[in-house]
Amino acid sequence: MTISGRVPLLLLLGVVPVVLRPSTGTVWLWVLAVALLVGVDLLLAPAPSTLQVERPEVGAVRLGHPTETRLVVTSSGSRRARGVLRDAWQPTAGASGNRHRLALGAGDRVVLRTPLLPRRRGDLRATGVTVRLRGPLGLAARQRTRDVPGAVRSLPPFDSRKHLPSRLARLRELDGRAAVRVRGQGTEFDSLREYVRGDDVRSIDWRASARSRTVVVRTWQPERDRRVVLVLDTSRTSAGRVGDVPRLDSAMDAALLLAALAARAGDRVDLVAGDRRVRARLRAAGARDVAAHLQEVMADLQPVIAEADWSTLAGAVTALGRQRALVVLLTPLEPAAVEEGLLPVLPSLTRHHRVVLASVRDPALEELASSHATLDEVYDAAAAAQAIGRRAYTAGLLRALGVDVVDADADQLPPALADHYLALKARGLL
């Protein structure tokens, strides 16, 4: 049970009879009268069990996007139920306005809506529904907390989706859907057509021309049905924040844009995510909704405070198939972690695949390196310049091993990685 603020006020009102008749008996008599009123009000209050509470499924929503959860409350009692209902969620679900006033007659039903604004990826769950029904005098109330299961699945936001239309337009030009296919736009044979002035004579198919009365040339298109393997690093280095966003979330955004673009290009997209061990593995093939599948898998991934075991991750890539693929390593370009863990494993990957390392760059380093106003800023600039130099040296080592390095700010990494993919496709290097 609970008591309202009216009870202390009612007790305070007892000062009047005590002043009129000052005695200990008057005090106890007033306290007894108030306790009797509270007891009667509690007995007349409806039981919370007379309310039936149901929660429809909430579903999934992208991180940072608003949604709502609903509670269907039905009164099965014979008395009017007045009170408050609180729909409690874990803090990262961002529940607001979750206290609802109730005024239900016998058999009435009401739908209560609670806005949610997820602030963390994964499954965010309801922690309980508390019902407090007060008596007719408003002095006491019956209260009960019950478990009404509910969860909202918070997916990666995919903010880089805005870059997809422009990259798809470039892909259509590359594929020849918006331009005539000519030699040099790909290495995969497409079809035969009649020779026109200006065609490259090296594209003439002499055997086909011998069987025809005209000269016939071959047309080419960018390679299709290639494999793109996304390797997402969830080790300790991915927990670092650039601005207010973890590196892991920025890497996910770049992976989603590349996966959506590669699927539209007809390529097969696979995902491997892990640190000391493989945390997630997905073979999405060439599905057009590959981004949706990846969002579902990525929703549960969180940084692990441990070093990445790149031999394990490389083994997972090899287990997906021996066919040549574009392997995209989404990992921070941290010199110590890369030189000690990744470099020894790279030869086994570059021997069979085209490897690209995509890293989120911290613009704060450039800002520190350019500030020399005070003595402290000079020391900070020297440390920042040394860190930038080490990153550049590590990037040089990677390029010497045949690895393409895409190092960009968090908001520029997704389009930069997509542009690099299109450039490789245009040059026939996949």
Side-chain angles (χ1 to χ4, degrees), residues 71-245:
L71 289 175
V72 181
V73 182
T74 306
S75 176
S76 59
S78 58
R79 286 181 288 179
R80 188 169 184 81
R82 295 179 181 272
V84 178
L85 180 145
R86 178 175 180 263
D87 187 10
W89 286 72
Q90 64 184 87
T92 51
S96 60
N98 59 344
R99 295 177 182 270
H100 308 278
R101 293 190 176 276
L102 296 175
L104 300 177
D108 286 352
R109 172 178 294 187
V110 66
V111 178
L112 306 177
R113 303 175 186 273
T114 300
L116 301 175
L117 186 63
R119 296 194 293 266
R120 185 178 65 83
R121 286 180 289 101
D123 292 325
L124 309 177
R125 304 187 182 279
T127 57
V129 173
T130 301
V131 178
R132 179 183 295 175
L133 299 181
R134 64 176 184 268
L137 299 178
L139 299 177
R142 297 187 183 187
Q143 178 173 306
R144 179 184 176 187
T145 299
R146 65 179 71 178
D147 183 22
V148 181
V152 58
R153 188 162 181 79
S154 179
L155 305 176
F158 196 7
D159 293 331
S160 62
R161 184 190 298 269
K162 60 186 177 184
H163 300 292
L164 188 57
S166 60
R167 270 62 189 180
L168 289 177
R170 292 176 56 183
L171 179 64
R172 285 192 294 269
E173 294 177 1
L174 188 63
D175 276 348
R177 288 192 287 269
V180 179
R181 290 188 175 114
V182 295
R183 179 73 180 182
Q185 287 189 335
T187 59
E188 186 172 303
F189 175 73
D190 178 51
S191 61
L192 297 172
R193 63 170 174 81
E194 186 177 343
Y195 174 85
V196 295
R197 182 175 296 180
D199 284 338
D200 191 342
V201 295
R202 292 174 297 177
S203 63
I204 297 176
D205 190 321
W206 296 107
R207 291 187 178 182
S209 299
R211 295 192 296 268
S212 175
R213 295 183 179 181
T214 59
V215 180
V216 177
V217 296
R218 300 171 181 168
T219 61
W220 308 83
Q221 67 176 353
E223 299 80 356
R224 302 181 66 85
D225 197 27
R226 293 301 192 260
R227 290 180 59 229
V228 177
V229 181
L230 304 173
V231 182
L232 195 60
D233 179 11
T234 61
S235 66
R236 65 169 183 84
T237 56
S238 66
R241 304 181 77 89
V242 176
D244 195 33
V245 180

Side-chain angles (χ1 to χ4, degrees), residues 7-46:
V7 175
L9 292 177
L10 194 59
L11 289 172
L12 188 60
L13 191 61
V15 174
V16 176
V18 170
V19 170
L20 296 176
R21 188 177 179 181
S23 68
T24 305
T26 304
V27 173
W28 285 110
L29 186 62
W30 186 261
V31 171
L32 182 61
V34 172
L36 183 62
L37 288 175
V38 171
V40 171
D41 198 38
L42 182 63
L43 290 176
L44 296 177

Side-chain angles (χ1 to χ4, degrees), residues 176-373:
R177 288 192 287 269
V180 179
R181 290 188 175 114
V182 295
R183 179 73 180 182
Q185 287 189 335
T187 59
E188 186 172 303
F189 175 73
D190 178 51
S191 61
L192 297 172
R193 63 170 174 81
E194 186 177 343
Y195 174 85
V196 295
R197 182 175 296 180
D199 284 338
D200 191 342
V201 295
R202 292 174 297 177
S203 63
I204 297 176
D205 190 321
W206 296 107
R207 291 187 178 182
S209 299
R211 295 192 296 268
S212 175
R213 295 183 179 181
T214 59
V215 180
V216 177
V217 296
R218 300 171 181 168
T219 61
W220 308 83
Q221 67 176 353
E223 299 80 356
R224 302 181 66 85
D225 197 27
R226 293 301 192 260
R227 290 180 59 229
V228 177
V229 181
L230 304 173
V231 182
L232 195 60
D233 179 11
T234 61
S235 66
R236 65 169 183 84
T237 56
S238 66
R241 304 181 77 89
V242 176
D244 195 33
V245 180
R247 280 192 168 100
L248 179 59
D249 289 33
S250 300
M252 288 180 179
D253 202 25
L256 289 171
L257 179 62
L258 179 58
L261 182 61
R264 296 292 184 90
D267 294 336
R268 293 172 292 165
V269 181
D270 301 325
L271 171 72
V272 173
D275 36 83
R276 292 176 300 181
R277 60 184 180 88
V278 177
R279 304 286 176 177
R281 183 186 287 109
L282 177 66
R283 303 205 66 165
R288 285 299 184 95
D289 57 348
V290 61
H293 294 321
L294 288 177
Q295 283 180 300
E296 282 288 339
V297 173
M298 291 177 177
D300 297 320
L301 295 177
Q302 299 294 338
V304 176
I305 309 303
E307 294 291 342
D309 186 351
W310 284 104
S311 59
T312 299
L313 298 179
V317 173
T318 303
L320 293 174
R322 301 289 294 183
Q323 179 186 354
R324 180 175 176 81
L326 173 65
V327 178
V328 182
L329 307 178
L330 294 142
T331 181
L333 187 60
E334 295 294 335
V338 171
E339 293 172 13
E340 295 179 9
L342 180 57
L343 284 182
V345 180
L346 280 178
S348 63
L349 288 176
T350 56
R351 189 179 303 116
H352 303 287
H353 307 291
R354 182 88 188 186
V355 181
V356 176
L357 186 142
S359 171
V360 178
R361 182 174 56 204
D362 190 352
L365 287 176
E366 282 78 7
E367 295 177 4
L368 287 174
S370 61
S371 300
H372 304 87

